[in-house]
Amino acid sequence: MNRFAHHGLLTLCLLAVGIGQALAHSTDEHAGHNAAAKSASSEKAQVKFADVALVDQNGKTVRLEKDLVSNKIVVMSFIYTSCTTVCPVVSSIMGKVQKQLGARVGTEVQLVSISIDPQRDDAKRLNDYARAFQNGPGWSWLTGSTQSVNETLKGLGSFSGDFKNHAPLILVGDGNNRHWTRYYGFTDPAVLSREVEKLSGERNTHAKHTAIAMEHQP
């Protein structure tokens, strides 16, 4: 083997090692994400809202159900700001949903993103992170004490015990109903928007039936 061929082989070997190390880092950072991110799936689930104080990206203390979820149709994600692999994709999906739904976000619809790394993600950090994805009002980014966040995640079926092994997940539901849909993996934003439309339609149909029933009461 001549000197140039040997040099080329050495370069390829070093490149392969570098790629392997990069993949290992990515896998370590989000060990639980790889399989879940490949194919999206969904399931019906029942949720519970912990009555604990959380903090939004503006430093305001909020209670998830009372202040953000009640009477709203909600799209909710779970992220942490130091994540460089899956979380930016999930947040980008949420941003596209916000654009698709337009002015309804902030009125009928509420977007929520909860940090699963509350020890590092304070309000300022969330505020800085949100700027890359948020376009307009109606999207709250939440953190809080570790205990409050963990109680919240457990009630929503999104607690893993290790945020680096947290699978990509988006919840969609009517804040007046405990039965929601969990979307795993990288879900098409249009699918999430259609679910919001469906819930909105069901809500309007229910309101009409209630109004008709009231009219026919003696």
Side-chain angles (χ1 to χ4, degrees), residues 82-164:
S82 60
C83 163
T84 59
T85 53
V86 170
C87 299
V89 180
V90 171
S91 296
S92 178
I93 290 170
M94 293 282 286
K96 289 174 183 175
V97 170
Q98 183 177 37
K99 288 180 180 178
Q100 288 173 5
L101 295 175
R104 296 170 68 180
V105 178
T107 53
E108 180 187 16
V109 180
Q110 175 70 41
L111 304 188
V112 177
S113 290
I114 302 176
S115 170
I116 56 175
D117 183 16
Q119 290 186 329
R120 285 189 287 185
D121 287 344
D122 57 15
K124 182 182 183 304
R125 193 159 175 165
L126 282 177
N127 201 0
D128 291 341
Y129 182 85
R131 290 175 188 166
F133 306 99
Q134 184 170 348
N135 182 25
W139 190 348
S140 293
W141 302 72
L142 304 180
T143 185
S145 69
T146 299
Q147 181 179 351
S148 293
V149 170
N150 286 350
E151 284 185 37
T152 299
L153 297 177
K154 287 174 183 176
L156 299 172
S158 183
F159 179 76
S160 68
D162 177 7
F163 63 86
K164 290 183 179 179

Side-chain angles (χ1 to χ4, degrees), residues 17-46:
V17 170
I19 292 171
Q21 288 175 341
L23 289 173
H25 172 76
S26 176
T27 302
D28 177 65
E29 182 181 318
H30 267 288
H33 286 171
N34 295 335
K38 289 180 181 177
S39 60
S41 62
S42 65
E43 66 177 6
K44 297 296 181 182
Q46 193 163 358

Side-chain angles (χ1 to χ4, degrees), residues 48-54 61-67 145 147-153 155-156 178:
K48 179 182 177 181
F49 299 101
D51 186 18
V52 295
L54 298 172
T61 299
V62 298
R63 296 199 175 253
L64 181 58
E65 183 172 29
K66 177 186 172 186
D67 298 323
S145 69
Q147 181 179 351
S148 293
V149 170
N150 286 350
E151 284 185 37
T152 299
L153 297 177
L156 299 172
R178 298 292 184 181

